[in-house]
Amino acid sequence: NAGLLELSLGKFRNVLLNQTNPVEAVIRNIASNVTVIIFQVHAQKSDVVISFDKNPSVNSSGTGVDKGLVSILRPQQSVCTWYLRSLDASQVLSTAISIPYMEKDPIPGGCNLEFDLEVDPNIYLDYTLVDIHIKFAPANLGYTRGASPPSCDSGTGQNSRWRLRYDVYQYFLPENELSEMVLMSHIRKMSEVRSIKANGIKMLTLTTDDKTNVYFSSLPGQGVIYNVIVWDPLWNTSAAYIPVHTYACSFADLVDNCSSLSKLSTKVFFTAFAVLGLFTCFFGHRFWKTDLFFMGFIFTGFFFFVFITRVTGLGYDVRLLLTAVAGIIGGFFLVASWWRFGSVLLCMFIIGLVLGFLFSSTVVFTPLGDYRVFRDDVVFWVTFSSVALMIPVLFVGCPRILNILACGIVGSYAVILAIACYVYTSLAYITLDILRRILNDYFSRAYTNVPFQTNDFIILSVWAMLALSGVTVQLRRERSEVPFPPHPYLTWKRERERRSTNVLDPSHHIPPLRERIHNKLLHIKEFFQKEQPAGERTPLLL
């Protein structure tokens, strides 16, 4: 027999659902001025079925973790009934609420032409590791009980549904929180119009001319709730769709699930990268060759990873290994090129580009990056490149300052990337979102807003402290030193010429290398020869 769940309008109730015994949810004594009731149920990871009948059909039910139904009330109707059950054999914790609306309130999903329900207030969500896609059915104007619904295609004037506006809201759950009770308590803040406006972040507004689908950047492991408020500007009334949540990851996978997102290869790569970055942060300018290797590794590794991802179908671990090899080669190449040609300007240009890339990525990481003008790839990349090139141009007259700043800021950010492999932090998306935009042609349509909570403030403080300490230590230690070490190849050539011309130099009398090697071999050979017996060996002179 069905269990009975008595509900009150606007009140949440937690309920345990199972597969075998459906729950009958009932609301009684509905006021006569209520024309529409939106009933919704939410679970964390197990699908639930909500329907008007005990035996669900495609056109009278919905299945998912966040689902709802619209009940259009008949004249004199004062009782509404829905049926709930889970698709999982075990018990599933869920929360349910019914929200009333009046005759002047718009009806979410009232002009549905795409989905199965006649009136569909649900938001449909799909995600990948790169982006999240939400879509919903257009709303209709409200109307009184017993009246015919307004036509959805009667015209585009102010007396039709075309006057409606849609505000899309986003809400972040606490970082590193994957529990059911946390979700249940926070999804309540995104279910009713007033609480959505008080707690959510308004991302954009759509008109009826716009397509009712929106893209956001994916944040694996971070809980996010989305909802849409439809607003009627003529009556100044609003109604909310069914909130939908995602963690952009799977709870069921044995590997790379929501609790352990970072691969072992990623942790090894960025931990080693962070050790080199921390050394560069404090000692990069003093150990010039190590600094060049670090910057060459970043420059070469980044472009190589983009290249092999674009042109090959290799697995992630293989690409990361090849990127490490390419980065090492690129680092040694930059060191070798400086040793042979001694071009400090060339090396500083590459170092400036690395610092400029990080600076430009930080600029577009702010809310500026979500401006509609940057949806255009040409505008975005021209702006991004200009800001990145501005750094080496501004510091062209003081390369030592530029190098020390790059060592401190870039080296300390390498530590932040390593921390992100073990603890979630939004700071990793400063550069990750740029990489996503390079590798994915349609990422430009995604809004890249991220949470900034307690963890992020702590890790941002660590980044600032490391960068400031590294820059300060190097500036104080290097203020009395020459800006850069002398050109090693020219130094070696001058030393060789000096030795060949200055007879007073003791090194002038050192035998050639071939003769020294020959003498050393003779010395070794004599060591293994038997000792000659003592006595006179020379013949007597006549």
Side-chain angles (χ1 to χ4, degrees):
N1 294 326
L4 185 63
L5 178 66
E6 295 278 356
L7 295 174
S8 300
L9 290 174
K11 301 293 184 181
F12 277 93
R13 287 286 301 274
N14 288 347
V15 56
L16 290 174
L17 302 177
N18 57 54
Q19 188 176 19
T20 56
N21 298 316
V23 172
E24 181 181 0
V26 178
I27 294 180
R28 308 181 191 276
N29 303 319
I30 301 173
S32 59
N33 63 340
V34 176
T35 59
V36 170
I37 294 178
I38 296 182
F39 178 69
Q40 54 188 271
V41 62
H42 305 276
Q44 186 188 36
K45 52 190 175 183
S46 300
D47 286 346
V48 298
V49 179
I50 177 174
S51 63
F52 291 114
D53 308 310
K54 286 185 179 180
N55 299 316
S57 63
V58 174
N59 296 326
S60 65
S61 66
T63 302
V65 291
D66 302 289
K67 283 298 172 182
L69 297 173
V70 172
S71 293
I72 308 294
L73 300 181
R74 301 181 304 274
Q76 308 305 319
Q77 183 180 355
S78 61
V79 178
C80 272
T81 304
W82 304 272
Y83 295 89
L84 306 172
R85 67 180 178 88
S86 73
L87 294 180
D88 200 331
S90 59
Q91 286 189 326
V92 174
L93 175 64
S94 63
T95 187
I97 186 176
S98 55
I99 302 175
Y101 292 102
M102 314 305 174
E103 62 180 75
K104 292 184 179 180
D105 297 328
I107 301 175
C111 286
N112 172 43
L113 297 175
E114 182 178 356
F115 310 110
D116 293 327
L117 294 171
E118 182 179 356
V119 178
D120 195 339
N122 295 286
I123 298 173
Y124 293 83
L125 182 148
D126 297 307
Y127 73 85
T128 66
L129 287 176
V130 176
D131 59 19
I132 295 170
H133 176 211
I134 65 170
K135 57 182 178 180
F136 53 92
N140 200 359
L141 302 176
Y143 56 96
T144 59
R145 290 196 190 191
S148 298
S151 173
C152 292
D153 299 314
S154 60
T156 58
Q158 287 299 305
N159 293 324
S160 67
R161 70 173 180 92
W162 293 87
R163 72 179 186 233
L164 299 177
R165 300 290 183 269
Y166 303 88
D167 296 329
V168 181
Y169 284 82
Q170 184 183 52
Y171 178 86
F172 294 108
L173 296 177
E175 293 177 353
N176 301 309
E177 276 289 353
L178 302 175
S179 67
E180 288 180 318
M181 293 309 299
V182 169
L183 172 65
M184 299 305 163
S185 63
H186 285 272
I187 206 163
R188 300 181 178 190
K189 299 178 181 180
M190 290 293 288
S191 296
E192 299 181 87
V193 171
R194 183 178 301 175
S195 60
I196 295 172
K197 291 181 177 179
N199 297 285
I201 303 171
K202 183 179 176 181
M203 298 301 298
L204 71 155
T205 298
L206 301 174
T207 66
T208 312
D209 295 326
D210 299 318
K211 293 182 178 180
T212 53
N213 58 73
V214 187
Y215 291 84
F216 298 89
S217 61
S218 184
L219 305 172
Q222 171 62 48
V224 190
I225 302 173
Y226 299 97
N227 207 344
V228 177
I229 294 177
V230 54
W231 173 56
D232 187 340
L234 181 62
W235 299 110
N236 195 26
T237 54
S238 301
Y241 281 72
I242 308 299
V244 61
H245 79 278
T246 183
Y247 295 90
C249 56
S250 172
F251 285 91
D253 292 345
L254 296 178
V255 180
D256 299 330
N257 54 41
C258 291
S259 300
S260 58
L261 286 170
S262 295
K263 295 177 178 289
L264 178 61
S265 58
T266 304
K267 292 179 179 179
V268 172
F269 179 88
F270 281 103
T271 301
F273 183 60
V275 172
L276 183 58
L278 187 62
F279 180 86
T280 305
C281 176
F282 288 93
F283 306 102
H285 193 74
R286 171 64 62 87
F287 296 89
W288 172 238
K289 294 178 184 178
T290 305
D291 178 19
L292 288 180
F293 176 82
F294 179 67
M295 297 300 175
F297 181 91
I298 296 174
F299 187 84
T300 308
F302 180 83
F303 285 104
F304 185 80
F305 184 82
V306 170
F307 174 75
I308 61 173
T309 303
R310 277 286 194 176
V311 302
T312 70
L314 297 174
Y316 173 78
D317 291 339
V318 176
R319 282 182 286 141
L320 195 62
L321 177 61
L322 293 176
T323 298
V325 173
I328 292 172
I329 295 173
F332 280 123
F333 179 79
L334 187 59
V335 173
S337 63
W338 173 77
W339 192 92
R340 180 62 181 85
F341 301 105
S343 178
V344 173
L345 287 179
L346 175 62
C347 296
M348 291 313 304
F349 180 73
I350 293 177
I351 293 173
L353 280 182
V354 174
L355 179 60
F357 175 86
L358 182 56
F359 177 74
S360 189
S361 300
T362 305
V363 171
V364 298
F365 178 73
T366 66
L368 291 173
D370 278 334
Y371 280 11
R372 187 178 293 270
V373 66
F374 293 123
R375 303 269 89 82
D376 187 294
D377 280 330
V378 174
V379 175
F380 178 85
W381 288 117
V382 168
T383 305
F384 184 90
S385 302
S386 299
V387 175
L389 288 170
M390 181 178 66
I391 298 299
V393 171
L394 287 178
F395 288 92
V396 67
C398 41
R400 177 165 63 177
I401 301 298
L402 173 60
N403 186 52
I404 292 176
L405 286 176
C407 289
I409 297 173
V410 178
S412 57
Y413 185 70
V415 178
I416 303 306
L417 291 178
I419 294 175
C421 295
Y422 303 92
V423 179
Y424 176 87
T425 173
S426 298
L427 295 177
Y429 289 95
I430 292 177
T431 51
L432 181 57
D433 279 345
I434 298 300
L435 186 61
R436 286 172 167 180
R437 185 146 188 172
I438 295 173
L439 296 177
N440 300 275
D441 295 332
Y442 299 105
F443 189 73
S444 59
R445 63 191 177 185
Y447 288 84
T448 57
N449 189 39
V450 296
F452 216 80
Q453 301 176 8
T454 304
N455 276 2
D456 303 303
F457 283 109
I458 294 174
I459 296 174
L460 179 61
S461 301
V462 172
W463 184 16
M465 180 188 67
L466 286 175
L468 186 61
S469 301
V471 170
T472 303
V473 167
Q474 294 197 72
L475 284 176
R476 290 179 61 86
R477 186 175 57 233
E478 302 296 331
R479 59 186 175 183
S480 59
E481 302 291 336
V482 294
F484 290 95
H487 183 193
Y489 180 70
L490 292 180
T491 303
W492 175 78
K493 284 186 66 176
R494 284 197 296 266
E495 186 68 16
R496 187 181 65 175
E497 293 173 358
R498 184 182 64 80
R499 289 175 180 176
S500 62
T501 57
N502 187 3
V503 295
L504 298 179
D505 189 344
S507 63
H508 176 80
H509 304 285
I510 297 176
L513 178 61
R514 180 180 298 179
E515 186 176 339
R516 281 182 287 163
I517 294 175
H518 180 70
N519 292 337
K520 182 65 70 174
L521 291 175
L522 288 177
H523 180 72
I524 296 173
K525 183 178 179 181
E526 290 174 359
F527 179 79
F528 290 101
Q529 286 181 346
K530 289 184 178 182
E531 186 177 353
Q532 298 295 331
E536 183 63 53
R537 292 294 182 180
T538 57
L540 294 175
L541 296 176
L542 295 178

